[in-house]
Amino acid sequence: SLDTMAARRPIVGGNWKCNPQKLSDLDGLIENINKCDVSKCDVYVCPSPLHVTYCVDKVTNGAAVCPQNCNFKGCGAYTGEMSVEQMKDLKIEWCLIGHSERREYFSESDELLATKLKYILDAGMKCIFCIGEKLPEREKGLEATMAVCIKQLEQVKGMLAPERVVIAWEPVWAIGTGVTATAEQAQETHAEIRKWIAANVSEECAAGIRIQYGGSANSKNAPELSACPDI
């Protein structure tokens, strides 16, 4: 309902992936973030791991700096990883996991991501949890699309606390390809995800949880996407 939609605080995020190449380019990007009005909307940004610490000190307007990944177990002998304990020490509150690039290039499984989500939540942090289908599934239609999304949500369904977890639906086929999901496609998929959560978690969770559109969003398509009731 529109009442429920009004109760869900809008959230906008930017994932910088493995960019920019030069540290000196960060100040301009951070300046843009600091110009954002965060009074009616949660704003977060995901710098690359090397740049997180720099950005934490420079983002001053209440936007969240959100690492793009974490490990599953804390500090210790985990070469190349970041722990949420280290993040908390930097006053970081959010972490993103499950991005399609992590799933594909680094073989992160649904089981591993469920372990990571529990670890993040147990530490008292919040999480952007990414899910989404590739082009072959999308071309088969909504049912095939939902089969992928359900598989990716099945192992975390008991942890979807609306105040601490945001689901980001990434139509993988629309990321950086120049193809965008239409607002209709996005709304239809988000509505189906919400319906699945209502049936498999609870009506309350389905009504409260925020489902972000995680495809290529820009100033042109953002108004239309954000006007959709389930986005």
Side-chain angles (χ1 to χ4, degrees), residues 92-122:
I92 288 170
E93 291 177 22
W94 286 88
C95 185
L96 177 141
I97 59 170
H99 193 280
S100 57
E101 289 153 16
R102 298 291 320 166
R103 291 174 184 270
E104 177 151 3
Y105 305 142
F106 303 95
S107 308
E108 295 202 0
S109 66
D110 295 325
E111 292 75 18
L112 175 65
L113 291 166
T115 304
K116 285 189 181 192
L117 180 58
K118 183 177 188 308
Y119 163 59
I120 290 166
L121 298 178
D122 285 350

Side-chain angles (χ1 to χ4, degrees), residues 37-188:
D37 177 0
V38 300
S39 60
K40 298 188 181 74
C41 179
D42 289 340
V43 176
Y44 68 88
V45 64
C46 306
S48 73
L50 272 179
H51 294 158
V52 165
T53 317
Y54 182 87
C55 294
V56 164
D57 293 334
K58 298 270 195 300
V59 173
T60 52
N61 66 336
V65 174
C66 170
Q68 299 167 10
N69 190 23
C70 65
N71 73 1
F72 52 91
K73 207 147 185 189
C75 294
Y78 304 106
T79 300
E81 291 292 334
M82 302 178 286
S83 74
V84 298
E85 289 79 3
Q86 291 170 320
M87 294 173 195
K88 285 175 75 173
D89 183 59
L90 293 171
K91 307 285 187 286
I92 288 170
E93 291 177 22
W94 286 88
C95 185
L96 177 141
I97 59 170
H99 193 280
S100 57
E101 289 153 16
R102 298 291 320 166
R103 291 174 184 270
E104 177 151 3
Y105 305 142
F106 303 95
S107 308
E108 295 202 0
S109 66
D110 295 325
E111 292 75 18
L112 175 65
L113 291 166
T115 304
K116 285 189 181 192
L117 180 58
K118 183 177 188 308
Y119 163 59
I120 290 166
L121 298 178
D122 285 350
M125 284 178 57
K126 299 172 190 167
C127 182
I128 313 285
F129 190 85
C130 304
I131 63 169
E133 79 284 359
K134 295 179 187 169
L135 191 58
E137 290 102 23
R138 170 51 60 174
E139 285 176 337
K140 285 182 201 150
L142 190 59
E143 204 175 313
T145 290
M146 280 307 296
V148 176
C149 295
I150 290 166
K151 182 179 172 291
Q152 293 173 343
L153 287 170
E154 189 65 55
Q155 299 192 34
V156 298
K157 66 184 180 189
M159 295 183 260
L160 298 177
E163 64 286 355
R164 299 188 49 209
V165 179
V166 170
I167 295 168
W169 171 66
E170 307 180 88
V172 181
W173 46 277
I175 299 176
T177 57
V179 183
T180 353
T182 64
E184 291 79 12
Q185 284 173 312
Q187 165 56 28
E188 179 186 44

Side-chain angles (χ1 to χ4, degrees), residues 192-207:
E192 283 295 312
I193 294 168
R194 211 176 284 288
K195 200 162 92 180
W196 183 86
I197 293 170
N200 293 275
V201 183
S202 71
E203 292 278 353
E204 191 185 14
C205 176

